[in-house]
């Protein structure tokens, strides 16, 4: 089997998954049938620091199956030498009362949709398998999202978990995020201004953090990990100069805020701003 191609890699819920299976062989291939399987599931795991704390988690939580469909696209027979193309089409429908969550590749939560093609052969020949992933997007919400801008200030008195606050140099940074309710396919925007600083500024960075929660009735484990870090200023920037904030969300590693019984993906739009003094 040479390729398994999906016409549209990014698919909206309730749409059709279609594509073509391409099989290339130098000789005639005898087979016991060709089938195509579409699956979607949520896989959960705990961080190393939580292992042993929630032992019941491993016994009670298995991969959550969201969708499963199997279709035979070719009955037993043989394929001629050369190139053979077999088109396919699947309706993207959830299993029972399950919800099709958007594709998400996290550290402790993984939501994935795959297509797998199997060519079954005789006992003396090895079966052939090819798989590929496709991305699922939720249908756009009806109505316009109301912006929720937020202003922020970074200064010695606003910092937390600081033991010797008096030793910190005096500085003051103000900024504004245009909205904390963000559409995942649109950038996060805003502006940042260094009003004053006793020492030269070395760098200003923005950190996008995901907060994933996994668990069961006995308890939940919450972990925060970095998605991406971008630098918006380098060197001792001019005071009172507006620095634009513009961050594109990496689609595979972010998703809309999600909360279920066994897992949560919250505060995915959490931003941290760091200023490193010389």
């Amino acid at each position: 089997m040479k390729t398994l191609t999906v016409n549209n890699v990014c698919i909206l819920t309730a749409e059709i998954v279609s594509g073509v299976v391409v099989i290339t062989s130098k000789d005639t291939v005898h087979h016991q049938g060709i089938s195509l399987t579409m699956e979607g599931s949520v896989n959960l795991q705990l961080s190393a620091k939580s292992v042993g704390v929630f032992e019941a988690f491993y016994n009670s939580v298995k991969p959550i199956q969201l969708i499963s469909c199997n279709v035979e696209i070719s009955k037993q027979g043989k394929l001629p030498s050369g190139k053979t193309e077999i088109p396919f089409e699947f309706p993207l429908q959830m299993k029972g009362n399950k919800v099709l969550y958007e594709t998400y590749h996290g550290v402790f939560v993984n939501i994935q949709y795959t297509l797998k093609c199997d060519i079954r052969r005789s006992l003396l020949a090895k079966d052939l398998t090819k798989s590929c992933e496709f991305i699922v997007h939720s249908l756009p919400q009806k109505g316009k999202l109301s912006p929720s801008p937020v202003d922020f200030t970074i200064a010695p008195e606003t910092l937390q978990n600081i033991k010797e606050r008096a030793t910190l140099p005096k500085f003051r940074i103000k900024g504004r995020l245009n909205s904390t309710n963000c559409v995942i396919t649109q950038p996060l925007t805003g502006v940042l201004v260094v009003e004053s600083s006793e020492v030269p500024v070395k760098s200003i960075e923005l950190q996008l953090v995901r907060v994933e929660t996994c668990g069961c009735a006995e308890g939940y484990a919450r972990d925060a990990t970095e998605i991406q870090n971008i630098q918006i200023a380098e060197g001792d920037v001019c005071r009172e100069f507006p620095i634009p904030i513009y961050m594109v969300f990496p689609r595979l590693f972010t998703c809309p805020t999600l909360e279920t019984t066994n897992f949560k993906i919250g505060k995915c739009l959490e931003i941290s701003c760091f200023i490193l003094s010389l």
Side-chain angles (χ1 to χ4, degrees):
M1 191 187 310
K2 189 175 182 181
T3 59
L4 170 59
T5 305
V6 182
N7 291 337
N8 295 316
V9 177
C10 296
I11 301 169
L12 294 174
T13 54
E15 284 193 341
I16 299 296
V17 182
S18 61
V20 62
V21 177
V22 181
I23 303 170
T24 304
S25 175
K26 294 181 180 179
D27 303 310
T28 300
V29 177
H30 294 269
H31 63 88
Q32 305 300 314
I34 303 175
S35 62
L36 197 60
T37 303
M38 177 172 61
E39 290 186 341
S41 62
V42 181
N43 292 285
L44 309 174
Q45 66 177 32
L46 293 180
S47 61
K49 67 180 183 180
S50 301
V51 173
V53 179
F54 303 114
E55 293 183 358
F57 178 83
Y58 291 99
N59 299 325
S60 62
V61 178
K62 298 179 180 179
I64 303 169
Q65 193 173 62
L66 303 176
I67 188 171
S68 180
C69 184
N70 181 273
V71 173
E72 187 176 51
I73 59 176
S74 179
K75 295 183 179 181
Q76 179 180 353
K78 61 181 180 179
L79 299 173
S81 60
K83 181 178 179 181
T84 302
E85 295 186 357
I86 305 175
F88 63 85
E89 189 174 274
F90 277 101
L92 193 59
Q93 296 177 347
M94 64 280 299
K95 185 177 181 180
N97 59 350
K98 300 291 185 180
V99 178
L100 291 183
Y101 308 121
E102 291 201 17
T103 297
Y104 171 71
H105 290 186
V107 178
F108 307 107
V109 180
N110 193 48
I111 305 172
Q112 193 172 23
Y113 299 87
T114 59
L115 278 173
K116 183 177 72 170
C117 183
D118 293 297
I119 300 180
R120 299 185 300 276
R121 305 174 72 187
S122 62
L123 296 176
L124 300 179
K126 186 178 180 180
D127 292 348
L128 301 177
T129 300
K130 184 79 173 183
S131 62
C132 71
E133 181 182 5
F134 62 93
I135 313 302
V136 172
H137 287 288
S138 295
L139 291 170
Q141 294 182 352
K142 296 181 179 180
K144 190 175 181 180
L145 184 66
S146 300
S148 55
V150 60
D151 298 319
F152 61 88
T153 301
I154 304 175
E157 60 270 18
T158 65
L159 300 179
Q160 298 179 356
N161 302 322
I162 301 298
K163 295 182 179 180
E164 299 180 0
R165 197 180 302 273
T167 62
L168 294 175
K170 292 183 179 180
F171 63 91
R172 190 171 185 83
I173 299 170
K174 282 192 172 183
R176 180 183 180 89
L177 295 177
N178 294 331
S179 181
T180 54
N181 293 328
C182 302
V183 179
I184 202 71
T185 55
Q186 297 179 5
L188 173 69
T189 59
V191 65
L192 181 145
V193 177
V194 179
E195 292 187 341
S196 62
S197 179
E198 287 184 340
V199 295
V201 176
K202 183 179 180 182
S203 176
I204 300 177
E205 301 174 3
L206 298 178
Q207 187 183 43
L208 181 63
V209 176
R210 66 167 74 85
V211 180
E212 298 170 317
T213 304
C214 301
C216 56
E218 288 194 355
Y220 290 86
R222 181 176 179 271
D223 295 277
T225 54
E226 179 184 293
I227 298 176
Q228 70 178 4
N229 192 87
I230 64 172
Q231 186 181 54
I232 63 172
E234 182 179 9
D236 196 15
V237 299
C238 298
R239 307 301 184 255
E240 300 293 344
F241 182 81
I243 301 171
I245 295 174
Y246 190 94
M247 176 181 283
V248 176
F249 300 109
R251 185 58 196 89
L252 280 180
F253 307 108
T254 55
C255 73
T257 301
L258 184 60
E259 182 173 345
T260 70
T261 304
N262 296 115
F263 68 94
K264 304 174 186 177
I265 306 172
K267 297 183 180 178
C268 292
L269 306 179
E270 183 177 310
I271 305 295
S272 299
C273 182
F274 300 93
I275 296 182
L276 307 177
S277 302
L278 289 173

